[in-house]
Amino acid sequence: METINHYVNGTTLECRSGRAHPVYNPATGEQAAEVGLAGVEEVDAAVASSRAAFEEWRHTSLAARTKLMHSFRNLVEANAAEIAERLTAEHGKVHADALGEVARGLENIEYACGIADLLKGSFNSQAATGVDVHTVRQPLGVVAGITPFNFPAMVPLWMIPNAVACGNTFVLKPSERDPSAPRFVAELFFEAGFPPGVLNVVNGDKVAVDRLLTHPDIAAVSFVGSTPIARYVHEAATASGKRVQALGGAKNHMVVLPDADIDLAADSAVSAAYGSAGERCMAVSVVVAVGDSADPLVDAIKVRMDKLRIGPGDDPDAEMGPLITREHRDRVAGYIGAGEAEGATVVVDGRHAAFDGDGFFLGVSLLDHVTADMSVYRDEIFGPVLCVVRSDSYREAVDLIAGNPWGNGAAIFTRDGGAARQFQLDADAGMVGINVPIPVPVAYHSFGGWKGSLFGDMHMYGPEGVRFFTKAKAITTRWPDPADSTVDLGFPRNR
Ligand code: NAD
């Protein structure tokens, strides 16, 4: 059985802890490999490598960094299909979804190709007589990224391009459940010509994470994962004096007003709820059907669900693949029964879908008449289960979103421009979609939720990513009096 090892100093570092985690092919249910879980010693080796690389890397010219970033971008684009195959093999998402993940990652590399412009400081001439003031942004040092299973290539690419383009060196701790794609991306990074140590990859679990959170040479931690771990990472790393951005879980609401285009809303709800088997932090998990929209909307969603093709991610006809593990599939299935017991109407029951083999498949589910006190509403299910909450008014829908402990994304479907504009102001969430169900911002805006969806001050990637990975330095300069100059300038002093 293949053991997936760490990647430190531009080469493979074998796992020495004696601990390993199984990596499955979720479509077959078989173990495909194992990944070594780092102990403190291996994390320390990765951090030491990044620490050693930092001094030279931080002084590498913007022109040279930009050139390397372009090469990396081209290699990721050229190898998109292979990255996507690895994503499908270990995560289970269908190939088209996996290619979409690579495309969103590429956007972030392209953004970082503009680092020369992004790192421009600011300047004031003559703040006092003969005195100028300017501000520059400098790298932090060695920064760490800890990433979740659901976007094993894209989320590391939310972090690495901006971090290294800003002059930092980076230690990545990817999810232990699907480590091959980030490992391959790291290989491409070095093929592009980046010096050893600028990026290191250590695989691991809590042991590795805890070492990164307290390591004295780690300046900042960028985390994406579930809310309880995000909260923990934020508390532990800030207590160690580090800068932290920790993105957590979600329960995204899609409000459908009575005037909405029901076909568009139903198409959007189905793709946003069941795409990638609902294992997306921006998945729609609650449809809030306002007034008369509810009955036609539930009917239209059900019709579409009946046609959805579920199968292995490498089957070109499949639109939804399996879940990440057997345990997670069973946990998600448990919510369907819980919702029913708590009084929801099960319109479509994914537990009844039959599949060949032992893959971690589950059919798609739709629960209607869900209320805010039910566990299916309160918990992040992270699977192909869509809840419909019926609401009497726009105001009730907005209040429901405000009362929810998460605030990643929120969407509204309506033809009314005034209502849509009001929703932009009212929605208690960090990212809002108007007739767009999954409002993931493009790479030149930043990504981040509110409330339990983000701990820290700065959002991920885009302009806030550049701010997160740099610290500002203001420099005040007094210039010599021109009267003292050996060159006759022909003007009085500092005029
Ligand atoms: P997770 O929190 O279980 O794991 C995330 C990372 O933390 C992994 O690298 C994992 O090894 C590590 N980790 C897990 N348990 C830990 C512990 N006890 N101590 C220290 N480290 C630990 O999340 P996941 O299941 O891999 O990913 C799914 C979750 O991520 C969902 O909640 C989803 O909403 C969230 N997510 C959020 C965003 C966002 O942008 N807000 C994006 C993607 C995923």
Side-chain angles (χ1 to χ4, degrees):
M1 171 128 358
E2 186 204 354
T3 300
I4 298 161
N5 282 300
H6 318 300
Y7 203 65
V8 173
N9 229 12
T11 186
T12 296
L13 174 70
E14 282 192 18
C15 183
R16 297 173 205 145
S17 70
R19 297 188 309 125
H21 185 84
V23 177
Y24 293 100
N25 177 342
T28 63
E30 283 163 16
Q31 185 176 348
E34 63 171 18
V35 60
L37 299 175
V40 168
E41 186 193 344
E42 292 133 279
V43 175
D44 286 358
V47 177
S49 158
S50 288
R51 183 83 195 87
F54 176 62
E55 277 314 311
E56 193 167 334
W57 180 244
R58 68 177 302 194
H59 295 300
T60 300
S61 71
L62 288 172
R65 288 186 221 166
T66 304
K67 202 167 172 205
L68 289 168
M69 202 57 75
H70 276 281
S71 303
F72 180 42
R73 181 229 166 265
N74 293 342
L75 280 168
V76 170
E77 186 181 50
N79 288 279
E82 187 170 345
I83 301 170
E85 274 164 30
R86 290 176 193 233
L87 292 170
T88 296
E90 292 181 0
H91 174 283
K93 63 180 70 179
V94 298
H95 191 65
D97 250 356
L99 282 173
E101 168 169 357
V102 180
R104 297 312 299 261
L106 258 179
E107 282 181 20
N108 286 278
I109 308 176
E110 286 162 1
Y111 181 76
C113 286
I115 194 63
D117 199 41
L118 298 168
L119 273 187
K120 270 184 192 157
S122 56
F123 185 86
N124 279 100
S125 177
Q126 199 75 337
T129 305
V131 174
D132 298 337
V133 182
H134 71 284
T135 297
V136 293
R137 299 201 70 88
Q138 294 194 316
L140 306 177
V142 185
V143 297
I146 300 159
T147 53
F149 82 83
N150 65 325
F151 285 105
M154 181 188 76
V155 172
L157 291 175
W158 282 359
M159 305 169 179
I160 296 166
N162 280 337
V164 302
C166 288
N168 302 283
T169 53
F170 199 94
V171 178
L172 174 69
K173 205 302 286 170
S175 171
E176 63 276 36
R177 288 189 260 182
D178 41 19
S180 289
R183 156 83 203 223
F184 182 49
V185 168
E187 287 168 16
L188 296 176
F189 183 86
F190 289 107
E191 200 180 322
F194 284 94
V198 172
L199 170 65
N200 286 303
V201 182
V202 270
N203 294 302
D205 56 6
K206 182 170 169 52
V207 174
V209 171
D210 284 348
R211 181 59 182 153
L212 288 169
L213 301 183
T214 53
H215 197 296
D217 285 340
I218 295 285
V221 176
S222 195
F223 173 90
V224 178
S226 60
T227 290
I229 309 300
R231 184 183 286 114
Y232 166 73
V233 164
H234 185 255
E235 286 175 4
T238 52
S240 289
K242 303 185 193 319
R243 183 180 289 195
V244 186
Q245 55 178 183
L247 277 61
K251 195 84 182 175
N252 304 308
H253 294 60
M254 171 177 150
V255 176
V256 181
L257 295 188
D259 72 326
D261 176 337
I262 292 296
D263 283 328
L264 173 67
D267 284 341
S268 302
V270 168
S271 70
Y274 306 120
S276 206
E279 292 172 328
R280 288 177 178 151
C281 67
M282 287 292 275
V284 165
S285 42
V286 181
V287 162
V288 189
V290 178
D292 294 343
S293 71
D295 286 339
L297 183 62
V298 169
D299 289 347
I301 292 174
K302 183 178 179 313
V303 167
R304 285 158 176 78
M305 290 169 73
D306 293 341
K307 294 182 189 150
L308 208 104
R309 284 163 304 193
I310 303 173
D314 57 7
D315 174 350
D317 290 331
E319 294 165 285
M320 188 186 111
L323 282 85
I324 185 70
T325 58
R326 182 171 286 113
E327 294 71 26
H328 184 56
R329 189 265 317 270
D330 294 347
R331 179 181 165 276
V332 172
Y335 274 106
I336 304 162
E340 192 170 27
E342 288 170 308
T345 307
V346 181
V347 181
V348 180
D349 190 334
R351 294 172 300 181
H352 295 157
F355 301 98
D356 295 334
D358 288 327
F360 309 144
F361 289 99
L362 180 65
V364 287
S365 297
L366 182 64
L367 306 186
D368 195 2
H369 299 284
V370 170
T371 52
D373 55 333
M374 295 179 188
S375 60
V376 283
Y377 179 81
R378 288 196 320 267
D379 299 350
E380 182 184 35
I381 299 175
F382 219 56
V385 178
L386 179 61
C387 297
V388 178
V389 175
R390 293 178 177 234
S391 160
D392 288 336
S393 65
Y394 166 83
R395 179 61 196 264
E396 208 179 294
V398 163
D399 287 348
L400 186 73
I401 295 171
N404 191 275
W406 285 288
N408 224 30
I412 193 164
F413 279 70
T414 177
R415 292 182 169 105
D416 185 319
R421 182 175 184 276
Q422 188 60 38
F423 186 75
Q424 297 173 32
L425 304 176
D426 292 339
D428 196 13
M431 293 167 282
V432 171
I434 308 294
N435 296 317
V436 171
I438 302 191
V440 174
V442 289
Y444 38 97
H445 286 256
S446 298
F447 181 110
W450 291 358
K451 301 186 276 184
S453 297
L454 187 145
F455 301 86
D457 303 315
M458 278 178 262
H459 289 192
M460 188 73 65
Y461 70 71
E464 294 213 17
V466 171
R467 283 183 70 79
F468 180 78
F469 288 120
T470 52
K471 50 192 173 189
K473 180 182 279 178
I475 301 156
T476 304
T477 311
R478 186 185 302 283
W479 294 95
D481 188 337
D484 298 335
S485 175
T486 52
V487 181
D488 179 8
L489 300 176
F491 289 109
R493 70 178 260 155
N494 283 325
R495 63 166 217 141

Short mmCIF file of all heavy atoms in Angstrom, two decimals, residues 146-151 155 158 173-177 204-206 209-210 223-227 229 232 247-250 281 380 382 408 447 453, ligand 1:
data_model
loop_
_atom_site.label_atom_id
_atom_site.label_comp_id
_atom_site.label_asym_id
_atom_site.label_seq_id
_atom_site.Cartn_x
_atom_site.Cartn_y
_atom_site.Cartn_z
N ILE A 146 -3.65 25.52 7.30
CA ILE A 146 -4.26 24.25 7.71
C ILE A 146 -5.60 24.17 6.98
O ILE A 146 -6.43 25.08 7.10
CB ILE A 146 -4.46 24.22 9.25
CG1 ILE A 146 -3.11 24.38 9.95
CG2 ILE A 146 -5.16 22.93 9.69
CD1 ILE A 146 -3.21 24.87 11.38
N THR A 147 -5.78 23.11 6.19
CA THR A 147 -6.89 23.14 5.23
C THR A 147 -7.82 21.92 5.38
O THR A 147 -7.42 20.88 5.90
CB THR A 147 -6.33 23.23 3.79
OG1 THR A 147 -5.38 22.17 3.58
CG2 THR A 147 -5.64 24.56 3.57
N PRO A 148 -9.07 22.05 4.90
CA PRO A 148 -10.08 21.01 5.07
C PRO A 148 -10.10 20.01 3.92
O PRO A 148 -9.43 20.22 2.90
CB PRO A 148 -11.38 21.81 5.09
CG PRO A 148 -11.10 22.93 4.11
CD PRO A 148 -9.63 23.25 4.24
N PHE A 149 -10.92 18.97 4.08
CA PHE A 149 -10.94 17.91 3.05
C PHE A 149 -11.73 18.30 1.81
O PHE A 149 -11.54 17.71 0.75
CB PHE A 149 -11.54 16.61 3.64
CG PHE A 149 -13.05 16.60 3.66
CD1 PHE A 149 -13.78 16.25 2.53
CD2 PHE A 149 -13.77 16.96 4.80
CE1 PHE A 149 -15.17 16.25 2.52
CE2 PHE A 149 -15.15 16.96 4.81
CZ PHE A 149 -15.85 16.61 3.67
N ASN A 150 -12.64 19.28 1.92
CA ASN A 150 -13.62 19.41 0.85
C ASN A 150 -13.10 20.15 -0.39
O ASN A 150 -13.65 19.98 -1.46
CB ASN A 150 -14.92 20.02 1.36
CG ASN A 150 -14.76 21.44 1.84
OD1 ASN A 150 -13.74 21.79 2.39
ND2 ASN A 150 -15.77 22.25 1.62
N PHE A 151 -12.05 20.98 -0.24
CA PHE A 151 -11.40 21.57 -1.40
C PHE A 151 -9.89 21.41 -1.23
O PHE A 151 -9.18 22.37 -0.95
CB PHE A 151 -11.79 23.05 -1.55
CG PHE A 151 -13.17 23.26 -2.08
CD1 PHE A 151 -14.20 23.66 -1.24
CD2 PHE A 151 -13.45 23.05 -3.42
CE1 PHE A 151 -15.49 23.85 -1.73
CE2 PHE A 151 -14.74 23.23 -3.92
CZ PHE A 151 -15.76 23.64 -3.07
N VAL A 155 -8.39 25.32 -1.58
CA VAL A 155 -8.18 26.10 -0.35
C VAL A 155 -6.68 26.35 -0.10
O VAL A 155 -6.31 27.48 0.22
CB VAL A 155 -8.91 25.47 0.86
CG1 VAL A 155 -8.51 26.17 2.15
CG2 VAL A 155 -10.42 25.58 0.67
N TRP A 158 -5.94 29.24 -2.06
CA TRP A 158 -6.43 30.51 -1.51
C TRP A 158 -5.31 31.20 -0.72
O TRP A 158 -5.29 32.41 -0.57
CB TRP A 158 -7.58 30.28 -0.53
CG TRP A 158 -8.92 30.00 -1.12
CD1 TRP A 158 -9.26 29.92 -2.43
CD2 TRP A 158 -10.12 29.75 -0.36
NE1 TRP A 158 -10.60 29.64 -2.54
CE2 TRP A 158 -11.15 29.53 -1.30
CE3 TRP A 158 -10.42 29.69 1.00
CZ2 TRP A 158 -12.46 29.26 -0.91
CZ3 TRP A 158 -11.72 29.42 1.38
CH2 TRP A 158 -12.74 29.20 0.44
N LYS A 173 -0.40 22.24 6.06
CA LYS A 173 -0.86 20.99 6.69
C LYS A 173 -2.24 20.71 6.08
O LYS A 173 -3.25 21.20 6.54
CB LYS A 173 -0.96 21.18 8.21
CG LYS A 173 -0.83 19.91 9.04
CD LYS A 173 -1.86 18.84 8.74
CE LYS A 173 -3.22 19.12 9.24
NZ LYS A 173 -4.24 18.16 8.72
N PRO A 174 -2.25 19.91 4.99
CA PRO A 174 -3.53 19.65 4.33
C PRO A 174 -4.36 18.63 5.11
O PRO A 174 -3.88 18.01 6.06
CB PRO A 174 -3.11 19.07 2.98
CG PRO A 174 -1.76 18.49 3.20
CD PRO A 174 -1.13 19.22 4.35
N SER A 175 -5.60 18.44 4.68
CA SER A 175 -6.45 17.42 5.32
C SER A 175 -5.83 16.05 5.12
O SER A 175 -5.35 15.71 4.03
CB SER A 175 -7.85 17.44 4.71
OG SER A 175 -8.58 16.32 5.20
N GLU A 176 -5.85 15.26 6.15
CA GLU A 176 -5.30 13.90 6.08
C GLU A 176 -6.23 12.96 5.30
O GLU A 176 -5.87 11.83 5.03
CB GLU A 176 -5.03 13.35 7.49
CG GLU A 176 -6.25 13.18 8.40
CD GLU A 176 -6.66 14.46 9.14
OE1 GLU A 176 -6.53 15.55 8.56
OE2 GLU A 176 -7.12 14.34 10.29
N ARG A 177 -7.44 13.47 4.95
CA ARG A 177 -8.37 12.55 4.28
C ARG A 177 -8.16 12.49 2.77
O ARG A 177 -8.50 11.49 2.15
CB ARG A 177 -9.81 12.98 4.61
CG ARG A 177 -10.13 12.65 6.07
CD ARG A 177 -11.57 12.85 6.37
NE ARG A 177 -11.79 14.11 7.04
CZ ARG A 177 -12.96 14.54 7.47
NH1 ARG A 177 -14.04 13.80 7.26
NH2 ARG A 177 -13.08 15.69 8.07
N GLY A 204 -0.74 15.43 8.55
CA GLY A 204 -0.90 15.14 9.97
C GLY A 204 -2.28 15.42 10.48
O GLY A 204 -3.20 15.77 9.72
N ASP A 205 -2.42 15.26 11.78
CA ASP A 205 -3.69 15.49 12.46
C ASP A 205 -3.49 16.51 13.58
O ASP A 205 -2.66 17.41 13.45
CB ASP A 205 -4.27 14.16 12.96
CG ASP A 205 -3.28 13.41 13.87
OD1 ASP A 205 -2.21 13.97 14.19
OD2 ASP A 205 -3.58 12.27 14.26
N LYS A 206 -4.18 16.33 14.68
CA LYS A 206 -4.12 17.31 15.78
C LYS A 206 -2.69 17.52 16.30
O LYS A 206 -2.32 18.64 16.67
CB LYS A 206 -5.04 16.83 16.91
CG LYS A 206 -5.10 17.78 18.09
CD LYS A 206 -6.20 17.35 19.05
CE LYS A 206 -6.12 18.11 20.37
NZ LYS A 206 -6.07 19.57 20.21
N VAL A 209 -1.05 19.92 13.95
CA VAL A 209 -1.70 21.24 14.05
C VAL A 209 -1.28 21.93 15.35
O VAL A 209 -0.89 23.10 15.36
CB VAL A 209 -3.24 21.10 13.98
CG1 VAL A 209 -3.93 22.43 14.30
CG2 VAL A 209 -3.65 20.62 12.59
N ASP A 210 -1.32 21.19 16.45
CA ASP A 210 -0.98 21.80 17.75
C ASP A 210 0.46 22.32 17.75
O ASP A 210 0.74 23.37 18.33
CB ASP A 210 -1.20 20.80 18.89
CG ASP A 210 -2.68 20.65 19.21
OD1 ASP A 210 -3.48 21.48 18.73
OD2 ASP A 210 -3.04 19.71 19.94
N PHE A 223 -6.40 29.27 8.56
CA PHE A 223 -7.10 28.00 8.77
C PHE A 223 -8.44 28.03 8.04
O PHE A 223 -9.14 29.03 8.05
CB PHE A 223 -7.35 27.76 10.27
CG PHE A 223 -8.22 26.56 10.54
CD1 PHE A 223 -7.65 25.30 10.73
CD2 PHE A 223 -9.61 26.67 10.61
CE1 PHE A 223 -8.45 24.18 10.96
CE2 PHE A 223 -10.42 25.56 10.84
CZ PHE A 223 -9.84 24.32 11.02
N VAL A 224 -8.81 26.87 7.48
CA VAL A 224 -10.17 26.68 6.96
C VAL A 224 -10.63 25.30 7.40
O VAL A 224 -9.92 24.30 7.19
CB VAL A 224 -10.22 26.80 5.42
CG1 VAL A 224 -11.64 26.55 4.92
CG2 VAL A 224 -9.75 28.17 4.96
N GLY A 225 -11.82 25.23 7.99
CA GLY A 225 -12.35 23.94 8.44
C GLY A 225 -13.65 24.15 9.19
O GLY A 225 -14.35 25.15 8.98
N SER A 226 -13.97 23.24 10.08
CA SER A 226 -15.24 23.30 10.80
C SER A 226 -15.18 24.36 11.91
O SER A 226 -14.09 24.73 12.37
CB SER A 226 -15.56 21.93 11.39
OG SER A 226 -14.53 21.56 12.29
N THR A 227 -16.34 24.80 12.35
CA THR A 227 -16.39 25.88 13.35
C THR A 227 -15.71 25.52 14.68
O THR A 227 -14.93 26.33 15.21
CB THR A 227 -17.84 26.34 13.56
OG1 THR A 227 -18.24 27.02 12.36
CG2 THR A 227 -17.99 27.29 14.74
N ILE A 229 -13.21 23.58 15.32
CA ILE A 229 -11.75 23.56 15.17
C ILE A 229 -11.26 24.97 14.84
O ILE A 229 -10.19 25.40 15.30
CB ILE A 229 -11.30 22.53 14.10
CG1 ILE A 229 -11.94 21.15 14.35
CG2 ILE A 229 -9.77 22.39 14.10
CD1 ILE A 229 -11.63 20.51 15.67
N TYR A 232 -11.04 26.81 18.03
CA TYR A 232 -9.89 26.30 18.79
C TYR A 232 -8.57 26.84 18.23
O TYR A 232 -7.70 27.32 18.98
CB TYR A 232 -9.91 24.76 18.75
CG TYR A 232 -8.63 24.12 19.20
CD1 TYR A 232 -8.27 24.11 20.55
CD2 TYR A 232 -7.75 23.54 18.27
CE1 TYR A 232 -7.08 23.53 20.97
CE2 TYR A 232 -6.57 22.97 18.68
CZ TYR A 232 -6.23 22.97 20.03
OH TYR A 232 -5.04 22.40 20.43
N LEU A 247 -11.38 30.29 9.22
CA LEU A 247 -12.69 30.21 8.60
C LEU A 247 -13.38 28.92 9.02
O LEU A 247 -12.77 27.84 8.98
CB LEU A 247 -12.57 30.28 7.08
CG LEU A 247 -12.45 31.68 6.48
CD1 LEU A 247 -11.22 32.43 6.97
CD2 LEU A 247 -12.42 31.62 4.96
N GLY A 248 -14.64 29.03 9.43
CA GLY A 248 -15.36 27.88 9.97
C GLY A 248 -16.48 27.38 9.07
O GLY A 248 -16.48 27.63 7.86
N GLY A 249 -17.43 26.71 9.68
CA GLY A 249 -18.51 26.07 8.95
C GLY A 249 -19.60 27.05 8.54
O GLY A 249 -19.43 28.27 8.63
N ALA A 250 -20.73 26.49 8.10
CA ALA A 250 -21.75 27.35 7.50
C ALA A 250 -23.12 26.68 7.52
O ALA A 250 -23.23 25.45 7.68
CB ALA A 250 -21.36 27.68 6.07
N CYS A 281 -18.63 24.55 1.76
CA CYS A 281 -18.95 25.52 2.82
C CYS A 281 -19.89 26.59 2.31
O CYS A 281 -20.49 27.32 3.09
CB CYS A 281 -17.69 26.17 3.36
SG CYS A 281 -16.90 27.20 2.14
N GLU A 380 -24.72 21.99 11.12
CA GLU A 380 -24.18 21.91 9.76
C GLU A 380 -24.14 20.43 9.39
O GLU A 380 -23.38 19.65 10.00
CB GLU A 380 -22.77 22.51 9.70
CG GLU A 380 -22.22 22.47 8.27
CD GLU A 380 -20.77 22.96 8.16
OE1 GLU A 380 -19.98 22.71 9.08
OE2 GLU A 380 -20.46 23.56 7.12
N PHE A 382 -23.54 19.11 6.18
CA PHE A 382 -22.44 18.92 5.23
C PHE A 382 -22.63 17.67 4.37
O PHE A 382 -21.73 16.85 4.22
CB PHE A 382 -21.10 18.86 5.98
CG PHE A 382 -20.01 19.59 5.23
CD1 PHE A 382 -20.15 20.91 4.85
CD2 PHE A 382 -18.83 18.95 4.88
CE1 PHE A 382 -19.16 21.59 4.15
CE2 PHE A 382 -17.82 19.61 4.17
CZ PHE A 382 -18.00 20.93 3.81
N ASN A 408 -21.89 32.65 6.65
CA ASN A 408 -20.98 32.58 5.49
C ASN A 408 -21.62 33.27 4.29
O ASN A 408 -21.31 34.39 3.97
CB ASN A 408 -20.64 31.11 5.20
CG ASN A 408 -19.17 30.90 4.90
OD1 ASN A 408 -18.33 31.64 5.42
ND2 ASN A 408 -18.84 29.91 4.10
N PHE A 447 -12.74 36.53 0.45
CA PHE A 447 -13.74 35.52 0.85
C PHE A 447 -13.78 35.45 2.38
O PHE A 447 -12.75 35.24 3.02
CB PHE A 447 -13.30 34.17 0.30
CG PHE A 447 -14.24 33.02 0.62
CD1 PHE A 447 -15.00 32.43 -0.37
CD2 PHE A 447 -14.33 32.52 1.91
CE1 PHE A 447 -15.85 31.36 -0.07
CE2 PHE A 447 -15.17 31.46 2.21
CZ PHE A 447 -15.94 30.88 1.21
N SER A 453 -18.75 31.69 11.23
CA SER A 453 -18.07 31.24 10.01
C SER A 453 -16.67 31.82 9.87
O SER A 453 -15.96 31.46 8.92
CB SER A 453 -18.90 31.61 8.77
OG SER A 453 -20.14 30.94 8.81
P1 NAD B 1 -12.11 19.90 10.09
O1 NAD B 1 -12.31 21.07 10.97
O2 NAD B 1 -12.42 18.56 10.62
O3 NAD B 1 -10.57 19.84 9.61
C1 NAD B 1 -9.92 20.97 9.10
C2 NAD B 1 -8.43 20.84 9.40
O4 NAD B 1 -8.25 20.81 10.82
C3 NAD B 1 -7.80 19.56 8.86
O5 NAD B 1 -6.54 19.86 8.33
C4 NAD B 1 -7.71 18.66 10.08
O6 NAD B 1 -6.61 17.78 10.04
C5 NAD B 1 -7.55 19.65 11.23
N1 NAD B 1 -8.16 19.17 12.48
C6 NAD B 1 -9.24 18.36 12.60
N2 NAD B 1 -9.51 18.13 13.90
C7 NAD B 1 -8.58 18.82 14.61
C8 NAD B 1 -8.34 18.97 16.01
N3 NAD B 1 -9.10 18.39 16.93
N4 NAD B 1 -7.30 19.73 16.40
C9 NAD B 1 -6.51 20.34 15.48
N5 NAD B 1 -6.70 20.21 14.15
C10 NAD B 1 -7.72 19.46 13.71
O7 NAD B 1 -12.92 20.20 8.74
P2 NAD B 1 -13.17 19.21 7.53
O8 NAD B 1 -14.15 18.17 7.94
O9 NAD B 1 -11.90 18.78 6.92
O10 NAD B 1 -13.85 20.21 6.50
C11 NAD B 1 -15.21 20.48 6.48
C12 NAD B 1 -15.53 21.73 7.27
O11 NAD B 1 -14.80 22.84 6.76
C13 NAD B 1 -16.99 22.13 7.18
O12 NAD B 1 -17.43 22.57 8.43
C14 NAD B 1 -16.98 23.27 6.18
O13 NAD B 1 -18.06 24.19 6.29
C15 NAD B 1 -15.69 23.93 6.52
N6 NAD B 1 -15.19 24.73 5.43
C16 NAD B 1 -15.26 26.08 5.55
C17 NAD B 1 -14.84 26.88 4.51
C18 NAD B 1 -14.93 28.37 4.62
O14 NAD B 1 -14.38 29.02 3.76
N7 NAD B 1 -15.55 28.93 5.63
C19 NAD B 1 -14.31 26.30 3.35
C20 NAD B 1 -14.24 24.92 3.26
C21 NAD B 1 -14.68 24.14 4.31
#
